[in-house]
Amino acid sequence: MVQLSLSMLERYEIPNRRPRTLRAALFGADMGMLGVAARLMDRANELGGDLGALCVSPAAAALKQQDGMFTLLVRGEREDGSPIREERVVQSILDALDPEAEFDRLLRLAVEPQVELAFISGGCPAVETALLARFLYARWEAGLPAPEVLMVEEHPLPGGSEALRECLRALSASWTRSGEFARWLADAPIQALLAEGLCGPLADAARVQREMNYRDDFIAWAEPQLRCTPQLRAPESLAGVLERDDFALACARKERIFDALVFLCAPVGFLCGMNTFAQVLRDEALRAWIGRAFFEEVLPELPWSREEAAPWVISAFNRLENPMNDMPLLEIGRDLLRNFPRTLLGAIGKYAQREFEAPKRLSLALSAAIMLYAGARKGDCGAFEVQRGEEKFRLRDGTEVLEAFSRLDHDVPSETLAYAVLADRDLWGADLRQIDGLEFAVACDLSAIQRIGLRETLRLSEKE
């Protein structure tokens, strides 16, 4: 089978959007870089731009074999319900290098005067952050302006861009005794980029490659939506493909609606034996329960009217039940508990403050998440996993969250488990036992799940 490459574009009738000029650097080859940053530049090039990128990654050799290109299977529906099926060959990566083997070349490319953008995934991954610091330092030494640094974030944290700036400054502290680089770095444009667009690796890549009749070692799925909102202002070269929304509003809307819906679906669906969001939302009982939880216990506590929130809620449901993408619950539902204080904790607290009791469905959703995470153990590869039947599944969340839950187990007494989790101020920033009725509700739910399972617990709770 032929490998994806420039030479086969015309033969396969793939439009050539190849840029000419290296103007950006991508630090890493995760889905934040490939599915968001490279795709954004590819869209800008489609509109007449000339944004070529360097990808700095240990996967450089594999990317070079296919001339930096990769395929995104874009699947979904238009507003009128008609299907979207697109095989988008992203062509914005012009070059790739392995920093361990080609560090000198990285420093040479760092001083290309036309480089104006640098992308890094949020959370400041250690290796990529150190490489970005050295890249910026090389530009300062050459007397060049700083590129605009964009942190691609699914869940931006307040002050995240300044935390990155401080991390870069600390990494470079031993390289020079003068404060000139620190002052240059203080003026460097660094901002978060909220990325709203689900994408991920394919489970059945081999079958899809046979259908396309070419090999692609980076093939992935993506939903049609790709909304990216800059924290401050859009770089001029990306202005045509970035949103103009208020950044704080966009973050709040994603956290309080989309991420809240993910939280309601993922743990409950997984404990019911399901693997994808489409399976959960096709299940009549689960969909009804999720709908009641959202509309009766979440929506009334949001800072928007029902009329304002309605299109965002409809969009969130439509995206997750996309029948054309098999979106794994634990892949899309990563960082569930690290983000819980920003997704559903506020709604639980406001409901309890008004009603003097915890909301029963949100309490059950939290209990399901506790049961899911309490079984987490480190697997042979060093990642945290949970077991369901004979299968093991990877959990993706903050290290501090996973370490805390790995010290627990899902079969300890329910009162003990509820106390241990809710009282952990390091996890939540507060003692959640102070919320009226929450500890009692969670302990009861945990006991029921342990005895009769999640689905029967849910059924009985809805009969009350």
Side-chain angles (χ1 to χ4, degrees), residues 76-97:
E77 293 182 347
R78 298 179 176 85
E79 291 183 4
D80 63 3
S82 61
I84 297 173
R85 296 181 63 89
E86 176 189 356
E87 287 75 45
R88 185 180 189 92
V89 176
V90 177
Q91 303 169 35
S92 53
I93 296 176
L94 287 179
D95 197 0
L97 64 82

Side-chain angles (χ1 to χ4, degrees), residues 214-233:
Y214 66 81
R215 177 181 168 185
D216 183 346
D217 294 331
F218 291 86
I219 190 170
W221 64 265
E223 62 176 347
Q225 297 87 350
L226 181 60
R227 294 174 55 90
C228 291
T229 308
Q231 181 181 10
L232 302 173
R233 59 171 183 80

Side-chain angles (χ1 to χ4, degrees), residues 244-257:
R244 301 175 185 271
D245 289 356
D246 175 84
F247 183 75
L249 173 61
C251 289
R253 187 176 61 216
K254 179 179 183 295
E255 292 166 358
R256 305 289 296 279
I257 295 179

Side-chain angles (χ1 to χ4, degrees), residues 73 118 171 351:
L73 302 184
L171 285 167
Y351 183 101

Side-chain angles (χ1 to χ4, degrees), residues 96-107:
L97 64 82
D98 182 340
E100 186 173 347
E102 303 175 273
F103 187 71
D104 289 343
R105 193 162 79 89
L106 171 64
L107 299 185

